[in-house]
Amino acid sequence: MRAARLIKMVLLLQSRPAMTAAELAAELEVSERTVTRDAQALSEAGVPVYAERGRAGGYRLIGGYRTRLTGLARNEAEALFLSGLPSALREMGLEDAASAARLKVSAALLPSVRDASASAAQRFHLDAPSWYHEPEPPGFLPAVADAVWDDRLLRARYRKGGGRGSGREGTEVSRELAPYGLVLKAGVWYLCAKVGDDFRVYRIDRFTSVEPAAERFDRDETFDLPAFWDARAAEFARSLLRTEVTVRVSESGARQLTYTGDRAAAATALSEAPPAGPDGWRTVVLPVESLDVAYSQLLSLGPELEVVAPEKLRDRIAEAVERLSDLYR
């Protein structure tokens, strides 16, 4: 533990002209007294750490000293490529590895570009979770992430169906998985894994137990995680659209239609619809998840959309319009 801290201290001093005891203590998460002892230990070991007293004082390396401890470990290099996702790093247990990797890269840079990482962090930030949802990292995520990095088989129990907020328990199944990759989608973590000869997708928060196996699996190097996920996501979105409704939309309603439900399905429906009539309205056959979902989505377009069929949905929206009229009258 102390050895890692001493290395980090050297890398910090190598990446900056000088640092105060308070700055080093904050970075190393120790007391200023510990910083003083560590600086003395480094000096006794031959690392030229120089302490300057006074208000503008601090610690610095003298004589152009450069440590050779800047080679990246595998987990540090892998974490570095994910450093634009700080929340994801925390949830997978890689925050410390990414911090060490950034320090090593900074220490290896020329002084003129040494502030590049800080400059980029001040200008760009990726916030993966969706609005109005407090992210809850799945408890098994670090163990699953370790297995993904290590190409290690997983024995897991998984809750099928039900799910958080559904009111249903679902059933548990046991699986031996070859974990190929992790995907973070709108704040939810998914595992893309091979079971037998098939690739499947699992929500991490539905695992009820996870046990890394002693044996590893031989990864199929042709597996393309982004392409696989794009295909499965599109397939999943299409599978939700189980029914159709016929609507008439104004020009404004047609523009809004792609923001009320499945964007791809709405765009396809509009492209296949006949041209607008003399009044500027178009008749569109729109795939939807269910009549209940369509009710809430289509009602938001107000007077820019008219439901033609099915009659049940048309009557329901007409009733809502009458109630709104009474409310505002």
Side-chain angles (χ1 to χ4, degrees):
M1 183 71 176
R2 190 189 184 198
R5 189 175 72 240
L6 292 174
I7 292 172
K8 186 173 182 179
M9 184 175 179
V10 173
L11 292 171
L12 284 167
L13 293 174
Q14 185 172 305
S15 64
R16 306 179 194 181
M19 294 184 70
T20 65
E23 290 171 339
L24 283 168
E27 289 280 359
L28 300 172
E29 298 180 350
V30 296
S31 67
E32 292 186 32
R33 181 173 295 180
T34 299
V35 168
T36 300
R37 288 198 297 266
D38 285 351
Q40 184 177 352
L42 287 170
S43 182
E44 292 172 353
V47 178
V49 178
Y50 178 71
E52 295 178 323
R53 299 185 179 278
R55 182 177 297 179
Y59 294 90
R60 62 185 177 88
L61 294 174
I62 59 175
Y65 179 83
R66 310 279 300 176
T67 177
R68 295 188 179 184
L69 297 173
T70 52
L72 292 179
R74 171 173 288 274
N75 69 327
E76 295 169 348
E78 291 166 337
L80 187 61
F81 287 103
L82 297 172
S83 59
L85 287 166
S87 59
L89 287 166
R90 284 195 300 271
E91 292 170 12
M92 288 191 292
L94 292 172
E95 188 175 23
D96 289 343
S99 175
R102 286 192 294 268
L103 269 176
K104 290 182 176 182
V105 169
S106 180
L109 294 173
L110 294 172
S112 59
V113 294
R114 202 165 279 164
D115 64 343
S117 60
S119 177
Q122 290 169 353
R123 288 165 173 79
F124 301 100
H125 175 68
L126 178 60
D127 186 7
S130 58
W131 288 104
Y132 312 120
H133 291 83
E134 189 67 29
E136 298 180 26
F140 292 112
L141 178 59
V144 174
D146 285 346
V148 169
W149 288 124
D150 206 25
D151 290 344
R152 189 175 296 278
L153 291 171
L154 281 177
R155 296 187 178 93
R157 290 189 63 79
Y158 184 79
R159 188 175 64 252
K160 293 181 64 176
R164 193 174 298 171
S166 69
R168 295 181 287 114
E169 285 296 323
T171 58
E172 282 194 7
V173 295
S174 297
R175 293 284 186 269
E176 182 172 87
L177 311 171
Y180 267 68
L182 288 166
V183 175
L184 177 60
K185 170 73 170 180
V188 179
W189 284 95
Y190 297 88
L191 172 67
C192 301
K194 192 173 186 180
V195 183
D197 294 327
D198 299 326
F199 283 98
R200 302 179 186 177
V201 176
Y202 298 88
R203 278 184 61 143
I204 303 294
D205 60 4
R206 290 188 181 175
F207 283 118
T208 58
S209 70
V210 167
E211 181 184 352
E215 58 269 33
R216 292 180 169 85
F217 63 92
D218 294 325
R219 175 177 288 268
D220 180 356
E221 297 300 334
T222 65
F223 177 75
D224 185 333
L225 179 60
F228 171 79
W229 176 258
D230 287 346
R232 283 302 172 92
E235 179 184 328
F236 174 73
R238 287 193 300 269
S239 72
L240 294 177
L241 306 178
R242 301 184 179 93
T243 189
E244 291 181 338
V245 299
T246 303
V247 299
R248 293 179 67 246
V249 289
S250 66
E251 183 178 348
S252 174
R255 289 195 300 270
Q256 297 176 54
L257 195 60
T258 57
Y259 297 98
T260 59
D262 185 278
R263 180 173 295 189
T268 300
L270 286 167
S271 68
E272 295 175 349
D279 58 358
W281 285 56
R282 306 170 66 185
T283 300
V284 180
V285 178
L286 183 69
V288 295
E289 184 174 341
S290 67
L291 294 186
D292 285 340
V293 172
Y295 169 77
S296 60
Q297 292 176 341
L298 301 181
L299 192 61
S300 66
L301 271 69
E304 305 301 329
L305 178 142
E306 175 193 1
V307 173
V308 178
E311 196 69 26
K312 180 180 179 181
L313 179 60
R314 179 181 173 88
D315 291 344
R316 187 176 176 187
I317 289 186
E319 179 189 358
V321 171
E322 289 180 5
R323 289 168 57 198
L324 276 172
S325 178
D326 292 341
L327 184 63
Y328 284 97
R329 188 181 297 123

